[in-house]
Amino acid sequence: MPRYLISFDAHAMDHIPEEEMPAVGDAAHRVVEEAMNAGVWVFGGGLQSEQASVVATDGTVTDGPYPDAVGGFWVVDVPSREEALEWAAKTASACRCAQEVREFMPDPAVGN
């Protein structure tokens, strides 16, 4: 079955007032719980942008934050792109921000 990455940019939720963030977190957790109960959840979470680092091919490390970084993501294992888009719509509603959906390239060596 194909796997899809559902993600949003690091600053996609900046428009949400701080006092509303607990409600957003609760809504997002309800979608995660629904995905787990449906058996499509693989893995996901929010990312700390202030702890971002980029490691170059020569081993040089540059520390962030990076404004174009991913802010959060999850991976679903679903039979079709349409179903991945349905889960992304639920996530967009819960997180109050647009979601990007991308299919993982098939690679049996790593389970995709």
Side-chain angles (χ1 to χ4, degrees):
M1 200 162 4
R3 288 188 174 172
Y4 293 86
L5 175 71
I6 299 173
S7 64
F8 60 90
D9 293 336
H11 298 285
M13 297 172 79
D14 287 355
H15 67 282
I16 302 169
E18 188 64 34
E19 63 273 8
E20 294 181 25
M21 289 306 288
V24 171
D26 290 344
H29 288 137
R30 284 192 298 275
V31 174
V32 169
E33 184 177 350
E34 181 182 353
M36 292 173 115
N37 290 338
V40 301
W41 173 266
V42 176
F43 177 79
L47 301 175
Q48 296 285 356
S49 62
E50 66 272 1
Q51 296 176 357
S53 298
V54 173
V55 181
T57 56
D58 67 358
T60 303
V61 177
T62 306
D63 291 324
Y66 297 98
D68 296 329
V70 173
F73 73 96
W74 63 303
V75 177
V76 293
D77 194 354
V78 294
S80 69
R81 180 171 187 76
E82 290 73 24
E83 189 169 336
L85 294 172
E86 290 173 11
W87 284 106
K90 292 177 185 187
T91 305
S93 177
C95 293
R96 303 182 192 176
C97 63
Q99 304 292 307
E100 180 178 328
V101 178
R102 299 182 69 183
E103 184 176 355
F104 281 91
M105 293 172 39
D107 186 349
V110 296
N112 291 333

